[in-house]
Amino acid sequence: MIHNENSRVKIPALVHLTRLKYDYLSLKQYNGGICSETNIFRSLFWAGINRINGCNLLEQDIDRLLEELTIKLSNDDLGRAFYKILLDGINGLRIIDLEDESRNTYHTVTELTYRNSEDEFRPDITLLINGLPLAFVEVKKPNNRDGIIAEHNRINTRFSKEAFRRFVNITQLMVFSNNMEYDDSDPEPIEGAFYASSSYQKLFFNRFREEEPQLHAAIQEIDGQKEDFILSDNNLVSIKGTSEYCTNLNGLTPTNRILTSLFSHNRFLKLLKYGFAYVERTNKDGIKTLEKHVMRYPQFFATMAIEKKLDSGVKHGIIWHTQGSGKTALAFHNVRYLRDYYQKQGRVAKFYFIVDRLDLLTQAGEEFAARGLHVEKVNSKDDFIKNIRTIGTANNTGEDTITVVNIHKFSTESIVRKADYDVNVQRIYFLDEAHRSYNPKGSFLANLMASDREAVMIALTGTPLIGEGYNTKDVFGEYIHKYYYNRSIADGYTLKLIREGIKTEYRVKLQSILEELKMQEGSFKKRDIYAHPKYVATLVDYIVDDFKHSRIALGDSSIGGMIVCDSSDQARTVEETLKDYPEISHVLILHDVDDKETRRGYQEDFKKRKMDLLVVFNMLLTGFDAPRLKKQYLGRLIKEHNLLQTLTRVNRPYKFFRYGYVVDFADIRAEFDKTNEAYFRELQAELGDEFQRYRDIFKSQEEIEQDIQAIQDKLFMYATDNAELFSQQITALDDKQELLALRQALDTYKELINIIQLFGYEELAQKFTMENLHALCTEVNNRIAIVNLKQNMRDGEDVSGLLNLALDQIEFHFRKVSEGELVIADKFQDILEKTRQELERSLDTKDPEYISLLEELKRIFKKKNIEELTADEMKQNIQELERIRKAAAQQNLRDQMLCAKYQNDVKYMRTHKRIKATPPPIGSDPVIFDVLMGIKVAVDQKVLKNQRMMDNHAYFTREIMPEIIQSCRNRGVQPTASQVKFMEGCISSEYFAERTWTA
């Protein structure tokens, strides 16, 4: 069978979607009109509007409606205006029924062209509701080169183009799959099935892990007639019944699983209604940014779990979601979900988000407002008394409302009056950071609980209190949903951490200074000694040196750091000492330094890369999210849940980073192990053996030492201290696996450079200077690209291998370097890319003309190593490449036109060409076409009815021979025996090539 995404993933996925009650629609047969500017299927849309709204719109009414939708979809708003229409309708008409799935129609098509002017792309599968193309699926075969990353890069390029703006805006969900299980050890989207929402810049690929297995058990059996229709329409009847194809029809393949999870009708409608958020922010310069976020799967299942708890009569519980998992976003989605939940019961939901710090109150309010909620802030206890005794809200905009309030505003007076219980109002409290400020012995919690005895209370925490004293569960009830940090790391939402100890010589130096100060200061408190300028001077010198070194080693000058000080006095001394290092910008954040707005401005400056280091004591250790914060200098021992909160400030994804780094001055190991062990026991009690890997927030010492040993072994033979000699060594290498392993070793070295020095691997530490490490990585990447190129030029009969290479990533070297030559190099790479793309489009790689063009391309690259071309040589090659490109384009056009005559069946297009090229032909082009179409219909029907006929080549030949003769006679052609034999050979070869691995 064909070893590509069509037969291995796409066709099985199309069949699987019919099991999910999607009707497969043939683009060859559909004649209801497709709006070229939006890809809305006109007749399906028209029928859907009339059915849902119980009306009978005329043709001109639909045309006006489509025109209005086209205008809305042209907005530069990521489809926000269209999404509002999806939710609320347009001109009093609903275009989709989000409540009753039976009133919509669901279709799927393949290879629908998204075109604007000269730009176009064709998703493998597009899903339609009422003719609206709301989702598409891109598939790749397993173990494809670069995994899903290549598809990630392609879609980012496409969606950044204004030409595709309307298509981006109408698309709500996308799935990208190479039909492999997730590799949880690698946060990069290389293997697996991922989903994303639209973006004009860079899509985030989310993993989806189903938590309701009964969903998969409920899908229908395959309808044989629908399957046959899909195979026939895609000209792939020959693969039916093969073991590979049947395996991929399984409903539990990675691709089919995610299709079920996202596109089962009820799921898809829920996601459309509740699963998206438009996040709009305005910076202090007045510049707006807009992002579209889709619900993460733990947020979705937490929402479903809340509903189940409420259905069972339970109104209190805990959402235990690790730091960085989006608890504020979860609350936003539940404002909309629970609003409708209670509305169906005839009750008005009133939402409160409760915090325990003023900075978190501001932050939460901004996050909700950015997502489009109306935020009511409570400024005093009297304001809150009025608020909680009010049935409705002060909001007249129609937006959903949430009141953000500090728990300290609850008082004995802020209580719902008895009369209010008779009114159909349901208050829902989301309690942020539920591990703090909720001591059952304190008055704040008592006032909160007393404020409304019938309120729903959903406690949100990443670190619930457990162990001795009071537990979070004792206060708020059982866990509603759990999402812990090892799963978050595997899903790519957070990073694993690396703990870096202090170099021995510095630790000794700091210790000697401490001893000296103790002798001098006598009865001074320990914290005063740690704040002494002499101690701090050495501490800051180490931090600055490490920070600058880390930026070089990690290859990113944009990362920032946080110094967590032992005391506020030490923080002040650190800040003062940092003034001796003008190359490092910094700011002190303490509760009694500067006002709230100024501190907030400093935080924003840090997030925008205007500040290198934050100096803190107690502030910003929770709730502060800055993805660029990748180095934390921990100067004091923080205990229990507060330790995990602090450590996870550096665990947010950022660019290519796989780790966040904690430089440990305080030796947190014992405290971390104690805290982590307590959480491990808690989760094990909740989840049993499922949670054996909960300890994985830090990369373990054993894992680090294994990596270091692997680096040592791999780099032993290479001259890493001499870039020129290193380049010569790898230029002699043609072993791609060796080069890939070498690149992995260099990348890991960059990540673990400080650990390598700390663990005493002196020989390994001296192998590089940071100045040449990145140059060596570039050399290896270039060599890999060259080896790929040579291998594919040498081995491939066609250019398909070559076309998958990232040649545009090769850094070309010139004997002369000037601005003019760089322009020539850009032009060379551009025409090379266009030539490759044109050759890749070939439908007939055995055509003599194609083979001739490929040989010419090989000849160009065999003249000289591609990386050594001079500017003049490039000019000459540009002309040759352009000639090859034009010739290939002409051949492709002819082949595509002929293929279209055969309903896009390339088998018969190629057979037609072979018959015509072999004298004497049986007739003219129209005669050959009529004969072959007759044969195609008959043979396809035979194969679908009797799959076993393709198990034996001789049997297949005997079966199709009469069909060939009969089709010729029906068209008045009297073929010779040799002509019949030749046609049979061409046709059977095409069918068996399609079925086996050789196509």
Side-chain angles (χ1 to χ4, degrees):
M1 112 187 214
I2 303 176
H3 196 53
N4 62 22
E5 54 262 24
N6 283 340
S7 56
R8 298 187 69 185
V9 192
K10 187 179 84 171
I11 300 301
L14 286 168
V15 173
H16 184 74
L17 285 166
T18 65
R19 303 176 71 186
L20 302 179
K21 303 178 185 178
Y22 285 81
D23 291 326
Y24 176 78
L25 190 63
S26 170
L27 291 178
K28 302 171 190 174
Q29 299 178 11
Y30 175 73
N31 56 11
I34 300 173
C35 178
S36 62
E37 295 180 308
T38 61
N39 272 357
I40 295 174
F41 283 56
R42 190 172 179 279
S43 63
L44 296 178
F45 179 70
W46 187 358
I49 291 286
N50 285 334
R51 180 178 56 256
I52 293 171
N53 296 282
C55 59
N56 190 21
L57 295 185
L58 301 176
E59 186 171 1
Q60 57 266 33
D61 299 325
I62 287 297
D63 288 340
R64 280 196 298 270
L65 197 55
L66 286 171
E67 184 178 348
E68 192 168 346
L69 286 178
T70 301
I71 293 171
K72 295 286 188 184
L73 286 167
S74 301
N75 292 348
D76 190 18
D77 66 349
L78 269 175
R80 180 160 57 179
F82 174 75
Y83 183 65
K84 191 174 188 312
I85 291 171
L86 268 184
L87 297 182
D88 303 329
I90 182 172
N91 302 333
L93 298 169
R94 286 180 296 161
I95 63 174
I96 183 172
D97 194 323
L98 293 169
E99 296 299 325
D100 185 351
E101 64 182 74
S102 67
R103 302 187 70 193
N104 304 306
T105 58
Y106 306 83
H107 291 87
T108 183
V109 297
T110 182
E111 304 293 336
L112 175 65
T113 300
Y114 286 61
R115 179 185 294 112
N116 194 320
S117 186
E118 295 181 359
D119 290 317
E120 68 175 51
F121 71 98
R122 292 187 301 277
D124 294 311
I125 299 171
T126 301
L127 288 89
L128 313 168
I129 299 183
N130 301 332
L132 298 165
L134 300 180
F136 67 72
V137 182
E138 291 279 22
V139 296
K140 293 294 172 188
K141 66 181 180 181
N143 297 306
N144 61 308
R145 176 181 165 80
D146 294 330
I148 292 299
I149 288 181
E151 199 59 48
H152 193 191
N153 295 335
R154 271 193 290 274
I155 198 67
N156 286 335
T157 300
R158 287 168 182 162
F159 274 23
S160 66
K161 295 180 178 180
E162 191 172 348
F164 294 134
R165 188 68 19 111
R166 286 188 289 268
F167 300 128
V168 176
N169 290 347
I170 200 172
T171 301
Q172 305 302 309
L173 266 183
M174 292 160 282
V175 167
F176 303 86
S177 175
N178 62 356
N179 214 26
M180 300 177 71
E181 300 296 344
Y182 299 124
D183 179 2
D184 287 345
S185 66
D186 194 338
E188 285 291 325
I190 296 176
E191 300 173 7
F194 304 87
Y195 71 105
S197 57
S198 297
S199 172
Y200 297 151
Q201 297 174 341
K202 184 177 181 181
L203 276 68
F204 185 86
F205 278 22
N206 298 271
R207 291 163 171 82
F208 196 101
R209 304 180 197 271
E210 181 60 55
E211 294 184 12
E212 296 178 348
Q214 65 272 21
L215 183 71
H216 295 295
I219 61 174
Q220 300 177 340
E221 293 297 317
I222 293 174
D223 183 313
Q225 287 187 331
K226 293 179 180 179
E227 179 189 9
D228 287 352
F229 180 57
I230 291 171
L231 288 167
S232 296
D233 192 60
N234 287 273
N235 302 304
L236 285 169
V237 298
S238 64
I239 69 174
K240 186 176 182 182
T242 62
S243 58
E244 295 85 2
Y245 169 71
C246 292
T247 297
N248 288 314
L249 285 176
N250 189 310
L252 297 180
T253 65
T255 300
N256 292 343
R257 286 205 311 268
I258 198 170
L259 294 179
T260 302
S261 293
L262 294 178
F263 298 125
S264 295
H265 294 178
N266 181 264
R267 274 279 177 85
F268 197 6
L269 295 181
K270 270 185 180 173
L271 283 169
L272 288 174
K273 189 169 185 179
Y274 303 109
F276 296 96
Y278 284 90
V279 185
E280 182 176 332
R281 307 184 197 279
T282 305
N283 65 17
K284 59 185 180 182
D285 299 321
I287 298 174
K288 291 185 177 182
T289 61
L290 182 64
E291 297 177 344
K292 184 177 183 180
H293 294 182
V294 64
M295 235 178 175
R296 299 173 179 179
Y297 78 86
Q299 295 167 346
F300 178 82
F301 289 116
T303 301
M304 297 301 100
I306 290 171
E307 181 181 30
K308 289 176 184 175
K309 285 288 185 183
L310 294 175
D311 285 344
S312 67
V314 176
K315 288 191 170 184
H316 293 194
I318 304 164
I319 301 292
W320 181 358
H321 281 196
T322 190
Q323 298 91 340
S325 58
K327 291 185 283 294
T328 307
L330 171 64
F332 161 78
H333 290 298
N334 273 274
V335 165
R336 294 162 61 192
Y337 195 84
L338 295 178
R339 171 204 64 196
D340 290 352
Y341 177 84
Y342 283 108
Q343 191 176 61
K344 292 173 184 176
Q345 301 174 22
R347 309 191 71 184
V348 176
K350 193 170 181 182
F351 297 94
Y352 296 85
F353 192 80
I354 300 166
V355 300
D356 65 345
R357 289 203 326 246
L358 289 176
D359 60 322
L360 294 181
L361 182 142
T362 300
Q363 180 179 309
E366 289 176 347
E367 287 297 317
F368 288 128
R371 286 166 170 78
L373 293 184
H374 174 76
V375 178
E376 292 187 355
K377 292 183 180 177
V378 175
N379 297 314
S380 68
K381 289 186 178 180
D382 288 340
D383 286 346
F384 187 58
I385 292 170
K386 293 177 184 176
N387 180 289
I388 201 163
R389 290 181 177 176
T390 302
I391 297 171
T393 72
N395 171 32
N396 296 317
T397 65
E399 296 172 339
D400 293 317
T401 298
I402 190 166
T403 299
V404 181
V405 59
N406 193 312
I407 189 175
H408 304 101
K409 296 293 187 289
F410 283 80
S411 64
T412 53
E413 289 80 26
S414 57
I415 297 175
V416 178
R417 294 169 300 188
K418 190 174 189 305
D420 292 338
Y421 287 117
D422 299 329
V423 180
N424 286 330
V425 174
Q426 178 62 62
R427 292 173 180 82
I428 295 104
Y429 294 160
F430 296 102
L431 298 100
D432 191 32
E433 307 292 357
H435 51 277
R436 297 196 310 248
S437 301
Y438 301 106
N439 191 324
K441 297 179 181 178
S443 62
F444 295 136
L445 181 65
N447 292 335
L448 169 68
M449 293 295 189
S451 65
D452 184 350
R453 297 293 181 184
E454 297 300 317
V456 172
M457 293 192 179
I458 301 170
L460 307 173
T461 181
T463 51
L465 297 179
I466 57 178
E468 298 178 3
Y470 71 92
N471 294 340
T472 305
K473 282 171 63 177
D474 297 335
V475 179
F476 296 111
E478 296 298 320
Y479 298 119
I480 297 174
H481 192 261
K482 298 166 289 292
Y483 181 69
Y484 25 88
Y485 57 65
N486 75 317
R487 182 59 70 203
S488 178
I489 290 169
D491 288 337
Y493 297 134
T494 55
L495 304 178
K496 190 173 278 194
L497 305 180
I498 287 182
R499 174 193 168 273
E500 299 177 348
I502 310 304
K503 291 180 182 177
T504 304
E505 61 269 29
Y506 269 90
R507 187 174 290 283
V508 170
K509 189 175 181 179
L510 288 169
Q511 191 62 39
S512 66
I513 293 172
L514 282 175
E515 296 298 329
E516 180 184 338
L517 290 173
K518 286 177 183 177
M519 295 285 291
Q520 293 175 3
E521 308 297 343
S523 61
F524 272 60
K525 293 181 179 179
K526 190 175 182 181
R527 73 174 193 177
D528 295 330
I529 294 175
Y530 281 135
H532 194 283
K534 189 170 183 179
Y535 177 84
V536 169
T538 303
L539 178 75
V540 169
D541 183 64
Y542 183 93
I543 290 173
V544 170
D545 179 71
D546 177 84
F547 183 68
K548 292 194 293 188
H549 178 82
S550 295
R551 280 182 157 181
I552 297 171
L554 296 171
D556 194 327
S557 62
S558 72
I559 64 169
M562 173 186 280
I563 304 174
V564 182
C565 296
D566 179 70
S567 65
S568 59
D569 289 339
Q570 188 193 58
R572 288 182 171 88
T573 310
V574 166
E575 194 271 337
E576 190 65 31
T577 307
L578 279 169
K579 292 177 181 177
D580 296 332
Y581 301 87
E583 72 276 20
I584 299 294
S585 58
H586 65 279
V587 66
L588 176 66
I589 303 288
L590 293 176
H591 76 280
D592 56 356
V593 175
D594 299 311
D595 57 47
K596 182 173 68 174
E597 285 304 312
T598 301
R599 290 196 299 269
R600 190 168 157 217
Y602 287 147
Q603 294 173 42
E604 289 303 310
D605 285 345
F606 180 82
K607 292 178 181 179
K608 295 172 185 173
R609 308 180 190 177
K610 296 179 180 179
M611 206 74 66
D612 294 323
L613 293 175
L614 296 169
V615 182
V616 304
F617 171 47
N618 269 336
M619 296 192 76
L620 306 189
L621 302 187
T622 62
F624 177 67
D625 290 339
R628 67 179 287 252
L629 177 54
K630 284 292 153 278
K631 293 284 290 195
Q632 185 179 80
Y633 298 93
L634 198 55
R636 67 184 172 97
L637 185 59
I638 302 173
K639 295 195 172 183
E640 297 177 344
H641 64 279
N642 292 318
L643 176 59
L644 288 183
Q645 289 280 345
T646 301
L647 294 175
T648 52
R649 292 314 97 204
V650 293
N651 77 344
R652 302 310 195 259
Y654 183 63
K655 294 185 178 179
F656 54 83
F657 283 85
R658 295 198 299 160
Y659 304 105
Y661 297 85
V662 178
V663 181
D664 182 12
F665 291 92
D667 197 357
I668 62 171
R669 287 174 292 185
E671 181 63 27
F672 176 78
D673 288 344
K674 183 182 78 171
T675 303
N676 205 36
E677 185 65 30
Y679 282 123
F680 178 78
R681 287 195 299 270
E682 176 82 356
L683 279 165
Q684 198 165 40
E686 288 282 323
L687 305 169
D689 294 337
E690 176 189 345
F691 208 79
Q692 286 302 317
R693 296 183 62 216
Y694 185 68
R695 308 164 193 262
D696 287 355
I697 189 171
F698 278 108
K699 191 176 178 76
S700 70
Q701 182 170 332
E702 291 78 11
E703 291 175 315
I704 290 172
E705 291 188 337
Q706 288 173 6
D707 283 350
I708 291 173
Q709 187 60 53
I711 295 170
Q712 277 189 309
D713 294 343
K714 183 52 60 183
L715 299 181
F716 176 72
M717 297 294 291
Y718 293 95
T720 52
D721 57 343
N722 185 321
E724 182 59 34
L725 184 54
F726 179 82
S727 179
Q728 294 174 11
Q729 289 175 333
I730 67 168
T731 298
L733 280 178
D734 285 324
D735 185 341
K736 182 177 171 182
Q737 294 306 314
E738 172 68 14
L739 288 164
L740 291 173
L742 182 56
R743 180 171 67 183
Q744 180 63 50
L746 292 171
D747 287 342
T748 307
Y749 185 97
K750 286 191 293 184
E751 295 168 342
L752 302 181
I753 178 63
N754 286 349
I755 300 293
I756 287 169
Q757 294 170 341
L758 289 169
F759 283 13
Y761 291 87
E762 296 298 330
E763 181 181 349
L764 185 57
Q766 294 170 7
K767 271 190 169 289
F768 302 96
T769 62
M770 285 303 99
E771 287 72 20
N772 77 345
L773 177 57
H774 300 291
L776 302 186
C777 291
T778 298
E779 289 289 337
V780 174
N781 283 327
N782 283 343
R783 186 60 194 166
I784 290 171
I786 297 300
V787 168
N788 280 331
L789 174 62
K790 291 180 175 179
Q791 177 181 330
N792 284 280
M793 295 298 283
R794 180 181 64 247
D795 297 339
E797 286 188 6
D798 60 36
V799 81
S800 59
L802 169 64
L803 302 175
N804 287 325
L805 297 176
L807 283 181
D808 55 346
Q809 296 175 1
I810 296 175
E811 295 184 7
F812 296 95
H813 304 285
F814 309 110
R815 294 172 184 168
K816 297 177 182 179
V817 178
S818 70
E819 195 64 34
E821 287 182 332
L822 291 178
V823 171
I824 293 170
D826 288 341
K827 187 175 181 182
F828 174 79
Q829 288 179 276
D830 180 61
I831 187 61
L832 174 59
E833 177 65 21
K834 289 179 178 177
T835 304
R836 291 165 56 217
Q837 289 176 353
E838 200 59 62
L839 284 168
E840 185 183 35
R841 294 191 183 103
S842 176
L843 300 176
D844 187 5
T845 57
K846 294 182 180 178
D847 185 296
E849 185 176 348
Y850 172 88
I851 294 171
S852 175
L853 293 173
L854 183 59
E855 289 300 322
E856 289 188 59
L857 186 62
K858 289 181 179 180
R859 178 176 53 78
I860 291 174
F861 291 115
K862 285 180 179 178
K863 290 178 182 177
K864 177 181 280 191
N865 284 338
I866 189 171
E867 71 271 31
E868 297 176 357
L869 292 172
T870 66
D872 287 338
E873 289 167 334
M874 281 192 182
K875 284 182 180 179
Q876 181 181 350
N877 286 343
I878 286 172
Q879 295 176 356
E880 294 187 54
L881 287 170
E882 178 61 16
R883 181 181 54 78
I884 294 172
R885 186 197 66 79
K886 288 181 177 179
Q890 288 295 316
Q891 185 202 353
N892 288 339
L893 179 60
R894 291 192 298 269
D895 286 352
Q896 288 161 8
M897 291 170 65
L898 181 58
C899 192
K901 300 288 289 183
Y902 287 100
Q903 300 176 346
N904 293 317
D905 192 335
V906 294
K907 300 191 300 295
Y908 284 89
M909 178 273 288
R910 290 192 289 254
T911 299
H912 183 120
K913 289 171 64 178
R914 303 297 181 268
I915 292 173
K916 185 177 179 182
T918 305
I922 60 173
S924 63
D925 283 320
V927 171
I928 297 174
F929 169 73
D930 286 342
V931 169
L932 288 181
M933 277 303 294
I935 297 170
K936 170 179 164 54
V937 171
V939 173
D940 283 355
Q941 285 300 312
K942 277 182 173 287
V943 171
L944 287 174
K945 290 178 180 178
N946 182 12
Q947 300 154 30
R948 295 185 61 187
M949 70 179 284
M950 292 203 65
D951 291 343
N952 183 287
H953 199 293
Y955 177 64
F956 180 83
T957 299
R958 289 197 303 271
E959 286 293 305
I960 71 168
M961 193 75 79
E963 303 296 345
I964 294 173
I965 296 171
Q966 187 60 48
S967 183
C968 287
R969 289 175 178 170
N970 289 346
R971 277 77 186 175
V973 175
Q974 298 296 325
T976 65
S978 62
Q979 286 175 324
V980 172
K981 185 66 177 175
F982 181 77
M983 283 191 285
E984 176 276 315
C986 289
I987 294 168
S988 61
S989 294
E990 287 288 347
Y991 273 86
F992 277 90
E994 185 176 75
R995 189 178 176 86
T996 63
W997 302 107
T998 60

